[in-house]
Each structure stands twice: as C-alpha cells, then as structure tokens.
Amino acid sequence: MNLIVALKFYISRMTEESGPGMKVLLMDKQTTSIVSLLYSKWEIFMKEVYLFERIDTNGRNEGLKHLKCIVFIRPTKENIELLCNELRCPKYGTYYVYFSNIIAKADIKLLAENDEQEVVKEVHEYYADYLAISPHLFSLGITGCSQGLLWNPVHLHRTILGIISVLLSIKKCPYIRYQSSSEMAKRLAEKVREVLSKESNSFLFRQDTSPVLLILDRRDDPVTPLLNQWTYQAMVHELLTINNNRVNLSHVKGISKELKEVVLSAEHDEFYATNLYHNFGEIGQTIKELMDEFQKKVKKHQKVESINDMKTFLETYPLFKKLSGTVSKHVTVVGELSSLVERHHLLQVSELEQELSCQNDHSMHLQKIRELINSKQIREIDMTRLVMLYALHYEKHTSNNVGGLISLLNNKGVAEKNVNLVRNILEYSGINTRRNNLFDRESVAKITKKLFKGLSGIDNIYTQHTPLLHETLEDLIKGKLSPQSFPYLGDTIISKRPQDIIVFMIGGTTYEESLTVYNLNKQNPAVKIVLGGTNVHNSQTFLEEVQCATSGILSKYKNNNN
C-alpha cells in the first residue's frame, strides 16, 4: 500500500507506452500538481518529455506535429470539452490519452466522434486522481468541503472520486466503516459503496486480507490542527506552509534568488527524508553535523594543485554541489523557523496549548490565557487559538468564562473575524457534536520527560498531545473499535483483525496524524495503514475550514456573549 509507488507506476507506464521519441505532456491544473509531487522536471526529461502544457491554457504552441502528446487529465466535463476541441484541430502528431479516474462510456464515444483525423492511438484509465504526499499519506487539496456543516455537493463528488482512485491504485476493495456521529461520514460511505457496486468489475482483486476503509470526521478532533507543531515537516507546514512540496521563502529578509522558493521532497532530498519526523531540537543538532560535513569537504577541495586534484574535484563536483544546495536550503529553513519561534514567543504559546489539551486546571489556564492576551509579544491569531482551545475544553465548566475572554480579545483590538472563530469552533465542534470528551482521555495522562536534543529548554511539554486518531486506530488494530460508534456499512461485521486500513478524514488531516500513522505502521509490521483527507491542514487552513463550515449558521454564543 505504497501510494508513491502506485502513482509512479502509472506515470512511468504513460511515458513508456508511447514508445521512443520526443513527447509533450498535456495536463490540467490538478494532474500537474499530482505529477509535480512525484517527479522533478529532470526526471521527466529523462523520460523524453521535453514540453509541459496545460489543456486549460490559451495560446499554447502551434504546429508541433513531430511530437507525441501524452494527455493526462481528470475526466471532468470541462476537460472532455477541452480535449474534444484539441482533437478537432490537433497540434501534435499522435495522442495517448490517460484519464486519472473512471470515465463514462458516453464521454469515450464523444471523443471518438471528435477524433476525425484519427490521431488518438491509446485511451486508458490510470487511477492517479489524488496527491500522494508520502507513501502513507494522500490529500485531495480541498479546503472548505462543507457549508452549513453539510457536504458541498461539488466537494462530495470530488471526494468520492479521490477515494475510488486510491482504492483502485492500491488494488483494494474494502469493507466500509464510518463514524456514526457524523452525517457527512455516513453519506460519503454510502456514496463510495454505490460506486464500488456500480463499478464492481473494476474491483475484482485477489485479496488475502479483509481491507477496511474507515471514514472519520475532523469535527471529532478539532484540537490537533489548532496546535503548534515541533517535528520538522509539521513545523514547516505550520509556520511557512508546504504547498505541493514547495515552501515560499521570498518574504525572508536578504534571501538569495535561488532560495526564494525551496522544494522539500522526501523523494529527492535525503536530509529531509531522514529528518522530517524528528523534533526541532534534534534538527538543530543534525543541521550542525551537516554543516560540519560540508565544511570538511570545502577544506579538502581548497587545494587544487595538480591535474589529479582537478580530476578528483570534477568527479566529486555534482555531489559537492548537491550537498552545498542541501546545506543552504535547510540552514535557511531552520533559521527562519527559529526566528519565528523567538519573534512570536511560540514556546510560551505552545506550552499553554499543550496544557489546555492535556491537563485539567481551569483557574490556572484562565489566568495564563489572560496574561498572554495582555502580552505585547503574542500574535493575535495565537491569542485566538488559545481562547478557542479554552472554549472547547471548558465549554460545560461551571465557571466557564468564554464571554470574558472574547471581551478581552475585543478590548485588545483583535480583528472581528478572529474573535468570531471562538464562536465558530463551538458551532463546528462543540461538546454536543463530539462522540467523546477529548480532554478526559486515558492517553492524556501518559506524559514522559524525554528531553529534546540540541535545544535547551525544549522538552516534551511541547509534545504531550496525542491525536484522537491514535486511539481510534489502536482500537481498530486490536479488533476493539466499537461497532456502535463505527458501524460497518450494511449488515457485514468482520471478526478478523484488519491488516490493510485506509483512513479518510473529512475536513482534512494533519502532519501530526501522519506521524501517528507512520509510527503505528512501524510498531505493527503485519498492519499497513494509509491516511488521507480532503486536505492536509496547518492551523491557518483549518480555521478557513471552520469558517466555511459554519458560514450562515447563527452562533448561539453570539447573543449570549455580546
């Protein structure tokens, strides 16, 4: 169940089936993202693809009849129309057409009718309709999948297609379980089962195990995406934002031109692959070791006096240059992370976030939040998130003072849209919508004192929190997941413990949850888990998700607290 391997297999097949010769790759916006996550431009060039075009862009190159065209697009109505237009006036010699998902027979007929010059040589369905971020993590790139706490129909359709594509690419026909407290989870489960039934011939896989598709709702755990993160990948996404493996650093003062946008890809960057799950303290130490190694190599090559010295230098130059680029990139990224942590007092903020998530002490928490709101160093979005965590934790507490904290935010001049987020989060995920009490779980008490290495003052008080997903998956692996809370769709109940698990999080997942799945896969060699979501959130995109989901809903707290 390796998602990267599954999609790379499809892309390789596309470039090979057209045979030798110069090729152009014609894609849409989403398939461009899918391919760019998997391959560097250089790797695609090595497959004789010398030109990249977008089917939805005007003013493309004309009259390149000597090129073979590999078309890789999603089977949407708009794309079918664009491809029909292309085939009526073909710019290239021959076309090899690949759809990223199941295509209707009527659309195939329509393409054939428009291919008057018979330039199309092949038409295939290659199920690569999702963003493969890592071997065990995928995303559909959707923010705001619900409106009024119900599915946006467009996003529901896209989500169904994305899940079907994942299942076809890893060749699994699963039993479906869903979160019973979520209408959105139930609806998605039913829609996926409809497609499995309708397209049953495509799902005739030989299966030695009984795979499970588990559909969850983000609303059951709003805490995980609200927290600051301290492992490398999650921290970069939280503070700098990772978009299709790219990080924009153009805002960094004095940044060189080549570092204004950097690529962080575990497929192409050994340092990143090795360290993406390490904590910030360990990264500081590892960066120092990388710098030391680089400086040794620089010293070694400073004396180029003989022909042999020159020959040796030239032979090692590509490796030397690659190491130089790796050092520059990660020193810049880690330096900027460190600067943001210091500038915005994020250690102080994070410590209180973790306490709010994992401990029960109402009066102390209320006092600390007030102190931080009155502090001049704390960003207003961080103040807002602390109040949101307080509101979620102490919603039913007898001395609840959400109204007082909202007044404090208003007096501080915090933007109205941020203040409203406190009410929004209670509409989105208040205690009556969640199936359990997030703040009274057994795992909350399991706090150890393992020190982070390399950065003094950072210990695991910043990583006490465990996502609810960890508990849910552990129960599923042990065969203890409640059939009342997570029923099977239909009458089927499987007594065997699942070995292949596909988890999908409506409303988006996080890199902290990706780390949870990575660790569970390591701890349970007989079990393979894949995690996906409508999006992979940092706190900013999660807050956009909450705003979108609660738009149009009158908050019960608005009248009470104003």
Coordinates of all heavy atoms in Angstrom, one line a residue, residues 133-171:
I133 N 1.4 12.5 -1.0 CA 2.4 13.3 -0.3 C 3.5 12.5 0.3 O 4.7 12.9 0.3 CB 1.7 14.1 0.8 CG1 0.7 15.0 0.2 CG2 2.7 14.8 1.7 CD1 -0.3 15.7 1.2
S134 N 3.2 11.2 0.7 CA 4.2 10.3 1.2 C 3.7 8.9 0.9 O 2.5 8.8 0.5 CB 4.5 10.5 2.7 OG 3.4 9.9 3.5
P135 N 4.5 7.9 1.2 CA 4.0 6.5 0.9 C 2.7 6.2 1.6 O 1.9 5.4 1.1 CB 5.1 5.6 1.4 CG 6.3 6.4 1.2 CD 5.9 7.8 1.5
H136 N 2.4 6.8 2.8 CA 1.2 6.5 3.6 C 0.2 7.7 3.7 O -0.8 7.6 4.4 CB 1.6 6.0 5.0 CG 2.2 7.1 5.8 ND1 3.6 7.3 5.9 CD2 1.6 8.1 6.6 CE1 3.8 8.4 6.7 NE2 2.7 8.8 7.1
L137 N 0.5 8.8 3.0 CA -0.4 10.0 3.2 C -0.8 10.5 1.8 O 0.0 10.8 0.9 CB 0.4 11.0 3.9 CG -0.3 12.4 4.2 CD1 -1.5 12.2 5.1 CD2 0.6 13.4 4.7
F138 N -2.1 10.8 1.7 CA -2.6 11.5 0.5 C -3.6 12.6 0.8 O -4.2 12.6 1.9 CB -3.3 10.4 -0.5 CG -4.6 9.9 0.0 CD1 -5.8 10.5 -0.4 CD2 -4.7 8.7 0.8 CE1 -7.0 10.0 0.0 CE2 -5.9 8.2 1.2 CZ -7.1 8.8 0.8
S139 N -3.8 13.5 -0.1 CA -4.7 14.6 0.1 C -5.5 14.8 -1.2 O -5.0 14.4 -2.3 CB -3.9 15.9 0.4 OG -4.7 17.0 0.3
L140 N -6.6 15.5 -1.1 CA -7.4 15.8 -2.3 C -7.3 17.3 -2.6 O -7.9 17.9 -3.5 CB -8.9 15.4 -2.2 CG -9.1 13.9 -2.0 CD1 -10.5 13.6 -1.9 CD2 -8.4 13.1 -3.1
G141 N -6.6 18.1 -1.7 CA -6.4 19.5 -1.9 C -7.7 20.4 -1.8 O -7.8 21.4 -2.5
I142 N -8.6 19.9 -1.0 CA -9.9 20.7 -0.8 C -9.9 21.3 0.5 O -9.8 20.7 1.6 CB -11.1 19.7 -0.9 CG1 -11.1 18.9 -2.2 CG2 -12.4 20.4 -0.7 CD1 -12.1 17.8 -2.2
T143 N -10.1 22.7 0.5 CA -10.3 23.4 1.8 C -11.8 23.9 1.7 O -12.2 24.5 0.8 CB -9.4 24.6 2.0 OG1 -8.1 24.1 2.1 CG2 -9.7 25.4 3.2
G144 N -12.5 23.6 2.8 CA -13.9 24.1 2.9 C -14.8 23.1 2.2 O -15.6 23.4 1.3
C145 N -14.8 21.8 2.6 CA -15.6 20.7 2.0 C -17.0 20.8 2.4 O -17.9 20.2 1.8 CB -15.0 19.4 2.3 SG -15.1 18.9 4.0
S146 N -17.3 21.5 3.5 CA -18.7 21.6 3.9 C -19.2 23.1 4.0 O -18.4 24.0 4.3 CB -18.9 20.9 5.3 OG -18.3 21.6 6.3
Q147 N -20.5 23.3 3.9 CA -21.1 24.6 4.1 C -22.3 24.3 5.0 O -23.1 23.5 4.6 CB -21.4 25.2 2.8 CG -20.2 25.7 2.0 CD -20.6 26.3 0.7 OE1 -21.3 25.7 -0.1 NE2 -20.0 27.4 0.3
G148 N -22.4 25.1 6.0 CA -23.6 24.8 6.9 C -23.5 23.5 7.6 O -24.5 22.8 7.9
L149 N -22.2 22.9 7.7 CA -22.0 21.6 8.3 C -22.5 20.5 7.5 O -22.7 19.4 8.1 CB -22.5 21.6 9.8 CG -21.8 22.7 10.7 CD1 -22.5 22.6 12.1 CD2 -20.3 22.5 10.8
L150 N -22.8 20.7 6.3 CA -23.2 19.7 5.3 C -22.3 19.7 4.1 O -21.7 20.7 3.8 CB -24.7 19.9 4.9 CG -25.7 19.8 6.0 CD1 -27.1 20.3 5.5 CD2 -25.9 18.4 6.5
W151 N -22.3 18.5 3.4 CA -21.4 18.4 2.2 C -21.7 19.5 1.2 O -22.8 19.7 0.8 CB -21.5 17.1 1.6 CG -20.7 16.0 2.1 CD1 -21.0 14.9 2.8 CD2 -19.2 15.9 1.9 NE1 -20.0 14.1 3.1 CE2 -18.8 14.7 2.6 CE3 -18.3 16.7 1.3 CZ2 -17.5 14.3 2.6 CZ3 -16.9 16.2 1.3 CH2 -16.6 15.1 2.0
N152 N -20.7 20.2 0.7 CA -20.8 20.9 -0.5 C -20.8 19.9 -1.6 O -19.9 19.0 -1.7 CB -19.5 21.8 -0.7 CG -19.5 22.5 -2.0 OD1 -19.7 22.0 -3.1 ND2 -19.1 23.8 -2.0
P153 N -21.9 19.8 -2.5 CA -22.1 18.7 -3.4 C -20.9 18.5 -4.4 O -20.5 17.4 -4.7 CB -23.3 19.1 -4.2 CG -24.0 20.0 -3.3 CD -23.0 20.8 -2.5
V154 N -20.2 19.7 -4.8 CA -19.1 19.6 -5.7 C -17.9 18.9 -5.0 O -17.3 18.0 -5.6 CB -18.6 21.0 -6.1 CG1 -17.3 20.9 -6.9 CG2 -19.7 21.7 -7.0
H155 N -17.7 19.2 -3.7 CA -16.6 18.6 -3.0 C -16.9 17.2 -2.6 O -16.0 16.3 -2.5 CB -16.3 19.4 -1.7 CG -15.7 20.8 -2.1 ND1 -14.9 21.1 -3.2 CD2 -15.9 22.0 -1.4 CE1 -14.6 22.3 -3.2 NE2 -15.2 22.9 -2.1
L156 N -18.2 16.8 -2.4 CA -18.5 15.4 -2.1 C -18.2 14.6 -3.3 O -17.6 13.5 -3.2 CB -20.0 15.3 -1.8 CG -20.6 13.9 -1.6 CD1 -19.9 13.2 -0.5 CD2 -22.1 13.9 -1.4
H157 N -18.6 15.1 -4.5 CA -18.3 14.3 -5.8 C -16.8 14.1 -6.0 O -16.4 13.0 -6.3 CB -18.9 15.1 -6.9 CG -18.7 14.4 -8.3 ND1 -19.3 13.2 -8.6 CD2 -18.0 14.7 -9.3 CE1 -18.9 12.8 -9.8 NE2 -18.1 13.7 -10.3
R158 N -16.0 15.2 -5.7 CA -14.6 15.1 -5.9 C -14.0 14.1 -4.9 O -13.1 13.3 -5.2 CB -14.0 16.5 -5.7 CG -12.4 16.5 -5.7 CD -11.9 16.2 -7.0 NE -10.4 16.0 -7.0 CZ -9.8 14.9 -7.0 NH1 -10.5 13.7 -7.0 NH2 -8.5 14.8 -7.0
T159 N -14.5 14.1 -3.7 CA -14.0 13.2 -2.6 C -14.3 11.8 -2.9 O -13.4 10.9 -2.8 CB -14.6 13.6 -1.2 OG1 -14.3 15.0 -1.0 CG2 -14.1 12.7 -0.1
I160 N -15.5 11.5 -3.4 CA -15.8 10.1 -3.8 C -14.8 9.6 -4.9 O -14.3 8.5 -4.8 CB -17.3 10.0 -4.4 CG1 -18.3 10.4 -3.3 CG2 -17.6 8.6 -5.0 CD1 -19.7 10.8 -3.8
L161 N -14.6 10.5 -5.9 CA -13.7 10.1 -7.0 C -12.3 9.9 -6.5 O -11.6 8.9 -6.9 CB -13.7 11.2 -8.1 CG -15.0 11.3 -8.9 CD1 -14.8 12.4 -9.9 CD2 -15.3 10.0 -9.6
G162 N -11.8 10.7 -5.5 CA -10.5 10.6 -5.0 C -10.3 9.3 -4.2 O -9.3 8.6 -4.4
I163 N -11.3 8.9 -3.4 CA -11.2 7.7 -2.6 C -11.2 6.5 -3.6 O -10.5 5.5 -3.4 CB -12.3 7.6 -1.6 CG1 -12.1 8.7 -0.5 CG2 -12.4 6.2 -1.0 CD1 -13.2 8.8 0.5
I164 N -12.1 6.5 -4.6 CA -12.2 5.4 -5.5 C -10.8 5.2 -6.2 O -10.3 4.1 -6.4 CB -13.3 5.7 -6.6 CG1 -14.7 5.5 -5.9 CG2 -13.2 4.7 -7.7 CD1 -15.0 4.2 -5.3
S165 N -10.2 6.4 -6.6 CA -8.9 6.3 -7.3 C -7.8 5.7 -6.4 O -7.0 4.9 -6.8 CB -8.5 7.7 -7.7 OG -7.2 7.7 -8.2
V166 N -7.8 6.1 -5.1 CA -6.9 5.5 -4.1 C -7.1 4.0 -4.1 O -6.1 3.2 -4.2 CB -7.0 6.1 -2.7 CG1 -6.2 5.3 -1.7 CG2 -6.6 7.6 -2.7
L167 N -8.3 3.5 -3.9 CA -8.6 2.1 -3.8 C -8.2 1.3 -5.1 O -7.6 0.2 -5.0 CB -10.1 1.9 -3.5 CG -10.7 2.5 -2.2 CD1 -12.2 2.3 -2.1 CD2 -9.9 1.9 -1.0
L168 N -8.5 1.9 -6.2 CA -8.1 1.2 -7.5 C -6.6 1.2 -7.7 O -6.0 0.2 -8.1 CB -8.8 1.9 -8.7 CG -10.3 1.7 -8.8 CD1 -10.9 2.6 -9.8 CD2 -10.5 0.2 -9.3
S169 N -5.9 2.3 -7.2 CA -4.4 2.3 -7.4 C -3.7 1.3 -6.5 O -2.6 0.8 -6.9 CB -3.9 3.7 -7.2 OG -4.0 4.1 -5.9
I170 N -4.2 1.1 -5.3 CA -3.6 0.1 -4.4 C -4.3 -1.2 -4.5 O -4.0 -2.1 -3.7 CB -3.5 0.7 -3.0 CG1 -4.9 1.0 -2.4 CG2 -2.6 1.9 -2.9 CD1 -4.9 1.4 -1.0
K171 N -5.3 -1.4 -5.4 CA -6.0 -2.6 -5.6 C -6.6 -3.2 -4.4 O -6.3 -4.4 -4.0 CB -5.0 -3.6 -6.3 CG -4.5 -3.2 -7.6 CD -3.6 -4.2 -8.3 CE -3.3 -3.8 -9.7 NZ -2.9 -2.5 -10.0

